[in-house]
Amino acid sequence: MAKRDDTSQASIPSWRRVRVWRRIWAVALVAFRQGIRMRLWILAPLAVAVLILTDLSSPRFDPVFEVIPAAIGASLLVMAVLAVLIGIFFATYSIPAEIETKVSYSVTTKPVGSWEIVAGKTVGMSILVLAMLALVGAGAYAYVLARAGGIQSLAARRLEEARARAAHPADVNALEAAARDGPLTTYRYHTVDAGPDVHIHFPPAMRPDPGDRWILGETNMLLRWNLSETPLRQWAASGTVRLRIALKVRPSAQGDKTPVKVNVWLVSENPDAAAPRRTPDKGAQLVRQVVAEVSPSGVLEVVAAGPLAGPVEGVLNVPPSGRIQMDITSETPGRLLGAGGGAVRIIGPSGREFHVKDAPQDRPSAARAGAYLVGRTELPRQMAVLRFDNVPGNVLGSADTAVEIRLRLEAWSPATVQPAAEVTFLNPVTGGRKALTFTPEGHHATLLYLDRAFWHGGPLEVHLECLTADDSIGLVPESVRLRLDGGPFAVHFAKAILCVWFFGTVLAAVGVLPSTRLTWYTSILGTAVLLLASFMRDFLRGFLLRETWVRDVAWRVARWAEAHWHWDGWDDLAAHVVVPLPDVWALLPDNRVSMGQVIPLTEMAVSFGWAALGTVILVLVGAYLLRKREVGA
Amino acid sequence: MRVTDSGNRPPWRGTLLLGLAIVVGLLAVVHPLRRWVVEPRRQALLGRRESPGRRLTLASQFGFAAASGTSMRLVPGRPALELSDLPAQAVTLILGGFRGPYVVWLWIRVEDDKHKKIHFDLIDGYTKIAMLQSDYPQVWTFLAWNLAWNLPVQWQSLERRYQWIRRAIEFLGEGHRKNPHSAHIASEMGRIYSEKLGRSQEAEYYRRRVREDFGRSVFLIAYEWYDLARRLGDRYGSLGRGLGKPVMYRQACHSLTYYAKELTQEMYDAFAESVKAQAAGHDAEARKAFDAGLGKLDEAVNAWNWARRDWHEQTVRFEKEEIMTDQLQIFRKFGRGAAETTGQLQTLRKQLTYENLPETFKQMRRPEIQ
């Protein structure tokens, strides 16, 4: 290739540099037309035919809920394969072919910079990919629409059969929605603003007094008093102290009045770090917990001593250090135990008394993460309360709002027992109340629908209860979410195609890069290897770090860097530098998109940003290589 | 003389002809390769070579190619290609060397989807993998194990769990069609019926559904598959890795024992109903239930006899093969148990009358299927 005058760019006045874009556009159009001349468009109907044939011949477990996600997934996969084909075979072809046919002589002798050529080629490929994706996307969209019609009628037929077998009417909510609105729904999530707070659902005859805190027997609920600001430790050091607790005990719904058994714990706030569990001298295990029976009057008296007194059965040892707190849990199933302010008195060795005026906490917030609800068929029972503060009505869409409930089934009742749960929706504005009983799924979200007449935005309170005896359900971090309308399906599908286009553009740039320096065949091989390595980068990284000497080197470099510059991330950085390949495949939409979850605009913007940055870097490197090649020639 | 103007020919015609020529060429190369090189190797690997005597017999019936194991279609029992196999064969041919990477990618994807509980593409993925690796019995059994054991537990509803297991049975049935000589696949099918549908935690529901859908006891179906596995194992040595031969072979005997226990349970339930009706003074109902109980008793005696014979045959067989003593002890122990129960039930059959049922019933015990 002839050497070009490098000073030509510098001599162009700044006002004329606007023509740079025209030159890039001209090169891009040439690349695009080259693709059209090569009849690459034939691949588009072929891809649609492959998509339809494979999708129609693929078996599905549940056609109502699986056919559309599978069709969307297959469409996006076919488009991704198309982008890969163009990236590997055509993007690598253009520059070597021009050099081979000497067309490049007529290009490079024009006032066109090497970066303009590489950028033009990349843009041209990107436009070609976009055109092809648009063609395939239109075909795939028509196919998905055609499938959706059949699915809706199938859902209506299935609904009739499912209603007869359903344990609860709410169990067929999702099927009803598919039969009513069709399967082409899109959604995005709205998470709760507060909760879950675990309380007790009292029967109407057992209304609690305001200010009292209540716990239920055989649950993880507890009454907790902070005794750090009391003279307990000081008095226990000089002798025996009595803790007198005035509890309120309610008989069970069946009128059971047998004594309630409780566990009383005296612990420091952070028992592992702040307070040793053994006596300082002999090393014997200190008594942290006693089991006691509450008298019919509700008064409970527990004896406490200092840590140096040594362990004595039935006597609690006060932790030697740290903040002290007293916990009470009930061991009697289904019995309510409560306490109000001023329920605890500390009676010292000399008869002095200290009155703890604070009311107990009924369930500390620290335990929320592991919250679970113990099941009972009758009231009282545990109840999780979740709140949505104010959901704007205009984001709900026109269809009924779906409520997604995800639970962890913890219990081990016989597998033949069908668990049941109840969700109650409260509309604080209208005072409306709607209770739905449903069969919870352990591994899948249960979908329930709230009709618009009951709630169409604003605040909403959700109560969740487990109705199966001897069973419990765990609350995962996002136990209850609203599935809001995600907008038109066509927009959702177009956004997914755009993501594939970002991927295709980066691939085009990857393909153009080696072709600036290498022959077509070598470029194809290089691009394919790079793509494969990017696909397998986690495996390669793991292999290198586990099986080879690279781990030692990386670890040593990280230690050296840490010694010079204090930073916690050196190990992580060293592990990632081992295979420094960007994850190109991450640009492709994942399974959630196929299932209808819309891609947020922010996520789209981030993908676009990464794709643009990657493309610019690749173009610049490609331009450098092409320039070197020109100089070499 | 006629001159052809090549310039007037449509440009796509040449491309089309070239494409056709390539396809025909590929078929011409690949088909004999598969028939004469790949298939004999596969047959040999799977132990499907016939004995010289049998080969001669087959040669007289089907020709030498079939007798030498190089023809898939003609030898009885060999996997015959069906029209439904056409897409699988076509895709395998088209993918060529890319079949390996594609299957690896599919394996990674389906395992990932299984862990994430994303099911919409799972069965499709499993079918594709099995289609591309249909000659490996382990592929079928591993994926069927996923379908029967690991996926149903991701659901709570018993009906939905049962449907997943039915999928596993259909899937493995297809595997058996493709690999009819694999004892490994047949024994895995027996395991699904016996262990998953017959004896799991939710078995009560499954056993009822199997009786509705198949019209037979789940243990009887399990026995048939295990028995087939025994015969295939004897003839082709195709048990594969996993359970040892004595352990696998006695599963058929166990299935028969469970079948006999199931019938005994039904007998017990019928007599219990009769006793209850007698106590309530409903004589007609009581007699009807008693007659049903007697019918079940006869069936149970036959089933226990069958189980006893099967245990005995296998004990004799493995005594001849001189397997380990502790394994033989197991055969003998269960065989003795079956013989004792047969005797007890035969005695009961002789002594039992409608009149003495309430007294006799007090001594009866409902057997548990553990």
Side-chain angles (χ1 to χ4, degrees):
Chain A
M1 190 176 284
K3 190 179 174 183
R4 195 176 42 73
D5 182 10
D6 289 327
T7 57
S8 58
Q9 278 290 307
S11 61
I12 297 171
S14 60
W15 62 271
R16 289 186 64 188
R17 293 227 173 136
V18 72
R19 293 197 176 175
V20 163
W21 303 112
R22 285 190 183 174
R23 288 196 290 272
I24 291 174
W25 183 244
V27 177
L29 275 183
V30 168
F32 177 73
R33 283 174 187 150
Q34 197 178 17
I36 298 296
R37 271 201 304 279
M38 287 178 77
R39 296 197 183 88
L40 286 182
W41 57 268
I42 290 174
L43 289 174
L46 199 66
V48 176
V50 167
L51 154 70
I52 294 171
L53 282 177
T54 53
D55 192 63
L56 284 177
S57 62
S58 301
R60 307 282 170 217
F61 181 76
D62 187 345
V64 173
F65 298 105
E66 293 182 357
V67 161
I68 296 302
I72 298 170
S75 310
L76 296 177
L77 179 66
V78 162
M79 288 184 221
V81 169
L82 199 65
V84 168
L85 286 178
I86 294 174
I88 290 183
F89 292 104
F90 185 63
T92 51
Y93 170 76
S94 192
I95 292 178
E98 284 183 4
I99 292 171
E100 187 81 13
T101 55
K102 300 187 173 50
V103 172
S104 57
Y105 289 179
S106 57
V107 177
T108 48
T109 47
K110 303 283 186 311
V112 181
S114 56
W115 77 272
E116 289 166 353
I117 295 173
V118 178
K121 291 289 178 198
T122 308
V123 171
M125 300 299 157
S126 175
I127 295 169
L128 187 68
V129 170
L130 184 64
M132 301 279 281
L133 292 184
L135 280 176
V136 179
Y141 182 69
Y143 171 67
V144 169
L145 283 187
R147 289 287 267 168
I151 298 301
Q152 192 163 5
S153 52
L154 177 67
R157 285 200 301 277
R158 280 264 312 275
L159 184 61
E160 295 308 311
E161 299 164 19
R163 270 203 182 114
R165 287 202 311 269
H168 310 287
D171 288 349
V172 291
N173 254 205
L175 203 54
E176 280 170 348
R180 189 182 56 239
D181 305 325
L184 290 183
T185 48
T186 59
Y187 62 89
R188 59 204 159 78
Y189 286 118
H190 185 91
T191 50
V192 291
D193 296 301
D197 295 322
V198 179
H199 297 302
I200 296 169
H201 186 180
F202 290 92
M206 286 188 190
R207 289 283 168 225
D209 300 328
D212 286 353
R213 301 281 186 271
W214 289 90
I215 59 172
L216 193 62
E218 273 207 334
T219 64
N220 63 341
M221 300 180 87
L222 53 82
L223 293 169
R224 172 168 286 175
W225 284 269
N226 180 9
L227 303 182
S228 304
E229 307 300 321
T230 66
L232 176 64
R233 184 174 284 138
Q234 189 191 341
W235 289 356
S238 59
T240 309
V241 178
R242 281 174 298 147
L243 294 162
R244 189 173 292 161
I245 309 141
L247 295 169
K248 297 177 180 179
V249 184
R250 288 271 172 90
S252 70
Q254 289 80 29
D256 182 13
K257 290 184 179 176
T258 50
V260 174
K261 246 183 200 176
V262 293
N263 274 312
V264 185
W265 303 75
L266 210 52
V267 292
S268 64
E269 197 174 44
N270 187 355
D272 292 322
R277 288 170 175 270
R278 295 173 181 278
T279 51
D281 48 352
K282 297 169 192 166
Q285 189 82 30
L286 293 172
V287 178
R288 289 272 178 254
Q289 173 213 359
V290 293
V291 182
E293 250 179 31
V294 182
S295 67
S297 64
V299 176
L300 175 73
E301 199 161 283
V302 184
V303 181
L308 292 175
V312 177
E313 197 179 338
V315 177
L316 286 168
N317 289 111
V318 178
S321 60
R323 295 177 61 183
I324 311 167
Q325 58 196 27
M326 181 172 68
D327 294 344
I328 291 183
T329 59
S330 169
E331 289 291 296
T332 314
R335 294 293 294 276
L336 283 164
L337 202 68
V344 178
R345 282 172 189 274
I346 302 168
I347 303 161
S350 55
R352 282 182 298 171
E353 277 194 22
F354 184 88
H355 199 175
V356 181
K357 289 178 183 158
D358 296 338
Q361 290 176 285
D362 56 352
R363 193 164 183 284
S365 57
R368 270 181 194 159
Y372 69 92
L373 302 173
V374 175
R376 285 175 58 79
T377 46
E378 75 280 354
L379 296 176
R381 64 174 156 252
Q382 273 187 304
M383 168 178 79
V385 179
L386 304 107
R387 288 185 195 85
F388 296 94
D389 283 345
N390 193 9
V391 184
N394 60 349
V395 300
L396 295 181
S398 56
D400 291 345
T401 307
V403 183
E404 187 186 280
I405 301 177
R406 292 168 63 234
L407 302 165
R408 199 174 58 234
L409 297 184
E410 305 240 350
W412 304 104
S413 58
T416 41
V417 172
Q418 287 277 300
E422 186 175 86
V423 64
T424 309
F425 299 102
L426 288 98
N427 188 339
V429 177
T430 61
R433 190 183 183 90
K434 184 184 176 74
L436 294 173
T437 307
F438 64 98
T439 306
E441 284 289 352
H443 291 77
H444 287 269
T446 303
L447 281 183
L448 301 173
Y449 283 81
L450 268 179
D451 58 83
R452 293 178 63 76
F454 173 76
W455 184 75
H456 50 274
L460 181 72
E461 197 168 302
V462 183
H463 295 178
L464 205 56
E465 295 168 54
C466 176
L467 305 185
T468 317
D470 302 324
D471 209 333
S472 63
I473 52 180
L475 298 174
V476 297
E478 288 172 330
S479 293
V480 176
R481 290 189 287 186
L482 293 183
R483 271 191 178 200
L484 304 182
D485 185 20
F489 176 77
V491 175
H492 168 65
F493 197 58
K495 278 158 93 176
I497 295 174
L498 276 181
C499 285
V500 181
W501 177 54
F502 298 157
F503 169 76
T505 303
V506 176
L507 271 195
V510 170
V512 168
L513 173 69
S515 71
T516 54
R517 204 57 202 273
L518 306 168
T519 61
W520 184 33
Y521 303 109
T522 324
S523 302
I524 288 174
L525 196 66
T527 312
V529 167
L530 199 71
L531 267 181
L532 200 63
S534 168
F535 182 66
M536 296 171 62
R537 65 186 194 134
D538 288 340
F539 167 77
L540 290 174
R541 183 176 296 141
F543 174 78
L544 288 174
L545 287 175
R546 270 197 313 272
E547 309 288 339
T548 64
W549 47 267
V550 172
R551 182 183 60 175
D552 291 335
V553 174
W555 192 80
R556 281 177 193 209
V557 170
R559 292 285 78 73
W560 178 83
E562 201 173 5
H564 288 79
W565 302 281
H566 179 70
W567 182 45
D568 291 337
W570 285 115
D571 278 346
D572 200 32
L573 184 68
H576 280 83
V577 161
V578 170
V579 183
L581 279 174
D583 190 1
V584 186
W585 302 89
L587 289 169
L588 289 173
D590 60 15
N591 277 327
R592 289 172 305 164
V593 177
S594 304
M595 289 191 281
Q597 188 177 344
V598 296
I599 311 167
L601 284 174
T602 48
E603 210 172 288
M604 291 279 294
V606 169
S607 292
F608 176 76
W610 279 114
L613 183 69
T615 307
V616 167
I617 291 170
L618 289 164
V619 164
L620 291 177
V621 176
Y624 173 75
L625 292 177
L626 188 65
R627 197 181 171 86
K628 293 288 273 184
R629 185 172 186 165
E630 289 166 17
V631 172
Chain B
M1 195 173 145
R2 198 172 162 190
V3 179
T4 311
D5 184 7
S6 61
N8 292 337
R9 269 194 308 201
W12 50 265
R13 207 166 138 190
T15 316
L16 194 69
L17 283 173
L18 184 66
L20 271 174
I22 289 172
V23 169
V24 171
L26 272 175
L27 280 172
V29 171
V30 172
H31 183 68
L33 198 70
R34 182 170 174 78
R35 184 170 172 180
W36 298 104
V37 179
V38 178
E39 188 57 26
R41 278 192 181 186
R42 189 176 77 95
Q43 301 283 339
L45 278 172
L46 295 174
R48 291 182 189 171
R49 284 283 184 168
E50 306 290 347
S51 65
R54 174 127 179 100
R55 260 189 270 169
L56 273 177
T57 318
L58 291 169
S60 64
Q61 292 175 25
F62 305 105
F64 285 101
S68 62
T70 50
S71 164
M72 284 192 296
R73 295 183 61 86
L74 294 177
V75 177
R78 292 277 156 77
L81 284 177
E82 291 178 4
L83 197 61
S84 60
D85 293 327
L86 193 64
Q89 295 290 323
V91 170
T92 310
L93 193 70
I94 290 165
L95 281 173
F98 288 102
R99 183 170 68 148
Y102 179 53
V103 168
V104 169
W105 176 76
L106 278 174
W107 271 106
I108 293 170
R109 207 190 63 175
V110 294
E111 279 299 291
D112 201 33
D113 281 359
K114 184 186 80 180
H115 290 303
K116 288 179 184 164
K117 282 101 189 172
I118 295 171
H119 294 144
F120 69 79
D121 228 8
L122 213 50
I123 289 186
D124 182 35
Y126 283 7
T127 311
K128 282 189 178 121
I129 291 171
M131 187 178 79
L132 295 170
Q133 298 186 313
S134 61
D135 291 346
Y136 296 94
Q138 285 82 359
V139 169
W140 292 98
T141 54
F142 181 84
L143 295 175
W145 168 68
N146 263 339
L147 284 168
W149 264 268
N150 297 330
L151 291 167
V153 296
Q154 296 188 356
W155 298 89
Q156 209 59 35
S157 133
L158 290 178
E159 173 62 20
R160 201 169 267 266
R161 287 184 182 193
Y162 176 68
Q163 293 304 337
W164 276 105
I165 302 168
R166 283 292 305 270
R167 281 292 178 141
I169 289 169
E170 282 167 24
F171 183 80
L172 209 53
E174 183 64 12
H176 175 65
R177 186 179 73 76
K178 294 267 174 74
N179 300 270
H181 292 177
S182 169
H184 188 46
I185 289 181
S187 69
E188 186 62 26
M189 188 74 108
R191 193 160 79 97
I192 291 177
Y193 277 108
S194 170
E195 306 300 311
K196 189 66 192 176
L197 291 172
R199 296 174 59 219
S200 63
Q201 265 196 319
E202 313 90 335
E204 203 181 317
Y205 177 83
Y206 295 152
R207 286 207 292 261
R208 182 167 55 78
R209 287 305 310 269
V210 169
R211 203 171 270 280
E212 285 168 13
D213 293 353
F214 296 86
R216 286 190 301 159
S217 162
V218 67
F219 294 116
L220 207 54
I221 305 173
Y223 169 75
E224 284 169 4
W225 282 104
Y226 276 134
D227 189 46
L228 177 66
R230 280 196 307 211
R231 283 185 277 124
L232 291 172
D234 282 344
R235 185 161 178 195
Y236 300 104
S238 52
L239 269 181
R241 283 185 292 180
L243 294 178
K245 191 174 168 184
V247 179
M248 211 296 289
Y249 275 38
R250 71 167 178 257
Q251 299 310 313
C253 310
H254 278 307
S255 294
L256 273 187
T257 309
Y258 296 135
Y259 173 56
K261 279 186 179 179
E262 196 183 25
L263 287 173
T264 316
Q265 278 185 344
E266 287 171 14
M267 174 207 80
Y268 180 92
D269 294 342
F271 285 147
E273 197 185 325
S274 176
V275 170
K276 202 174 160 189
Q278 267 191 43
H282 304 307
D283 196 52
E285 277 177 37
R287 278 195 183 277
K288 197 177 165 189
F290 178 72
D291 290 341
L294 279 186
K296 288 288 172 193
L297 176 56
D298 289 338
E299 283 181 39
V301 169
N302 287 339
W304 278 109
N305 245 325
W306 188 6
R308 181 185 59 77
R309 275 201 310 275
D310 210 50
W311 279 111
H312 178 69
E313 279 167 17
Q314 295 302 314
T315 311
V316 171
R317 176 223 169 104
F318 283 113
E319 274 171 353
K320 281 182 191 161
E321 287 187 16
E322 296 178 348
I323 60 162
M324 284 191 300
T325 320
D326 54 341
Q327 290 286 334
L328 269 180
Q329 292 299 336
I330 295 171
F331 277 97
R332 286 177 188 143
K333 182 185 141 196
F334 281 102
R336 269 200 308 275
E340 279 169 20
T341 315
T342 313
Q344 286 167 5
L345 288 179
Q346 280 169 341
T347 315
L348 179 71
R349 182 69 185 90
K350 281 176 195 159
Q351 294 170 354
L352 189 67
T353 59
Y354 177 69
E355 284 71 30
N356 71 11
L357 176 65
E359 274 307 306
T360 318
F361 186 73
K362 284 177 190 165
Q363 291 155 16
M364 285 187 199
R365 194 172 52 84
R366 194 176 193 269
E368 291 297 323
I369 298 172
Q370 291 159 347

